[in-house]
Amino acid sequence: MSGTFVRKPALLSSTLALLVAAAATWHLTEGTFGALALIVAGSVVVAVGSALQTRRETGLRWVVVGAGVVVSLVGVALGATASSEPGALVRTVPGLLGVLVVGLALAPLRGDGSRGLLKAGAALLFLTVLVSGLLDPETLQPLLVGTVATVLVYDLGEQAINVGEQLGRAAETKSLEATHAVGSVGVGVATVFLGGEVATLGSGGMSLSALALVVVAVLLLAAALHE
């Protein structure tokens, strides 16, 4: 370990959590790539402002953080206006806000990351999954992928905060984070595959069974990742 001990979420896991959140929202809502790019870019700018805070560059810090938040909110607004139907709007907005909140959780203005914001962001992402299930109950695969992605976002975010707390931002933790991420993604892929196989064993009427399977997938994956 070298350098100043700074308790901030680890960079690799934070980046992966944010990208997975954006990819899941894009997968479930469609047509929001530009909006998501703005939200992710805004989160990166906020992270830069957060880093400036540790160096006591107070004035510039707030300018950068404010700019990042504005860019992200513009992304949310663009994504919302691109949703032409009420159903699409209800499905899209929670996901976009979820990506923004996850970004703020892992680019904290103070402290070493916010588990509360991370949970709120994951909950918003899962709300998009549930709304998608209610609107399109016959399409199981997007629900499984979205559900697994939501759990991965929370798991990677937790890993980022834990590593930052225990080892600090300056520590060399990429191998540790990469190993954890590969394991989590592997469990997630297996869950999606097994969920799809189980679904093919059933008969029609996927409405309630699809949602039930999604909930079971959440529980199993969360348990597996925290073993």
Side-chain angles (χ1 to χ4, degrees):
M1 186 185 305
S2 62
T4 305
F5 191 87
V6 178
R7 296 182 187 276
K8 292 286 186 182
L11 284 175
L12 179 58
S13 296
S14 296
T15 302
L16 291 175
L18 185 61
L19 291 179
V20 171
T25 302
W26 185 40
H27 182 67
L28 289 170
T29 60
E30 299 180 357
T32 56
F33 182 82
L36 287 165
L38 284 175
I39 297 171
V40 172
S43 298
V44 173
V45 174
V46 171
V48 172
S50 175
L52 292 175
Q53 181 184 22
T54 65
R55 299 167 188 166
R56 299 182 180 180
E57 297 170 304
T58 308
L60 180 60
R61 173 190 67 195
W62 290 113
V63 171
V64 174
V65 168
V69 172
V70 169
V71 170
S72 292
L73 290 176
V74 169
V76 174
L78 286 177
T81 55
S83 302
S84 56
E85 300 177 357
L89 183 66
V90 173
R91 173 166 47 188
T92 300
V93 171
L96 296 174
L97 289 174
V99 178
L100 172 58
V101 173
V102 168
L104 294 177
L106 300 176
L109 299 182
R110 294 181 179 177
D112 46 13
S114 172
R115 289 185 172 83
L117 284 178
L118 180 61
K119 291 176 182 176
L124 286 167
L125 293 172
F126 191 56
L127 180 58
T128 285
V129 176
L130 291 178
V131 173
S132 298
L134 293 173
L135 295 177
D136 301 307
E138 67 279 358
T139 55
L140 177 61
Q141 187 183 31
L143 302 184
L144 276 174
V145 173
T147 301
V148 169
T150 299
V151 178
L152 283 176
V153 169
Y154 181 73
D155 177 71
L156 292 169
E158 273 280 338
Q159 174 73 354
I161 293 173
N162 289 337
V163 170
E165 285 178 341
Q166 297 172 18
L167 301 177
R169 173 64 66 85
E172 181 52 59
T173 59
K174 290 185 177 59
S175 297
L176 173 66
E177 295 177 75
T179 300
H180 178 89
V182 169
S184 296
V185 171
V187 173
V189 170
T191 302
V192 171
F193 175 76
L194 292 175
E197 291 299 309
V198 170
T200 61
L201 299 178
S203 55
M206 292 296 294
S207 179
L208 291 178
S209 60
L211 287 176
L213 185 58
V214 166
V215 173
V216 171
V218 171
L219 297 176
L220 292 177
L221 182 59
L225 291 178
H226 286 83
E227 281 293 332

